[in-house]
């Protein structure tokens, strides 16, 4: 999927328990992105292969973000408590994840595939 890369958010916040990333966009919209959903939607090659096969990446229910690194004006590199740190998340993908979570009736990926 091709993502149009919007302007970067004006604010990026990691929750105290590291379970959610909040992005505040220039137009005032705010997306709260659970770590599990971010991990499941990783743009890294392994996760892309799973999605092409019609599968979702398994995600631990206690997954947290261990690192958030800004990549210039392009996006973020996120690190997770399961050791995954290879996904580069452009702003367009992050905005898309936020919009998909706001869609009525959508079950977040993290809750469909949670591993206890």
């Amino acid at each position: 999927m091709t993502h149009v890369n919007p302007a970067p958010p004006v604010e990026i916040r990691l929750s105290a328990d590291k379970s959610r990333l909040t992005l505040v966009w220039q137009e005032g919209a705010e997306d709260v992105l659970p770590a599990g959903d971010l991990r499941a939607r990783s743009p890294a090659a392994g996760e892309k292969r799973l999605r092409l096969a019609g599968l979702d990446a398994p995600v631990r229910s206690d997954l947290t973000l261990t690192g958030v690194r800004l990549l210039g004006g392009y996006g973020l590199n996120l690190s997770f408590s399961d050791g995954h740190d290879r996904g580069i998340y452009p702003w367009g993908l992050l905005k898309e994840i936020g919009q998909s979570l706001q869609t009525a009736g959508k079950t977040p990926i993290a809750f469909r595939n949670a591993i206890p």
Side-chain angles (χ1 to χ4, degrees), residues 51-108:
R51 287 192 296 276
L52 287 171
L55 303 170
D56 292 325
V59 177
R60 293 192 53 87
S61 59
D62 61 349
L63 186 78
T64 60
L65 286 153
T66 58
V68 178
R69 189 168 61 104
L70 184 63
L71 297 176
Y74 180 74
L76 298 174
N77 173 242
L78 302 177
S79 302
F80 298 89
S81 58
D82 66 357
H84 181 76
D85 63 358
R86 293 172 300 282
I88 296 173
Y89 294 76
W91 303 128
L93 175 59
L94 292 165
K95 196 165 194 77
E96 181 183 295
I97 293 170
Q99 289 170 345
S100 72
L101 292 173
Q102 292 174 15
T103 301
K106 172 138 176 70
T107 303

Side-chain angles (χ1 to χ4, degrees), residues 35-59:
D37 286 283
L38 289 166
R39 174 67 177 87
R41 297 279 305 269
S42 171
E47 285 70 22
K48 281 185 178 180
R49 276 194 301 274
L50 285 173
R51 287 192 296 276
L52 287 171
L55 303 170
D56 292 325
V59 177

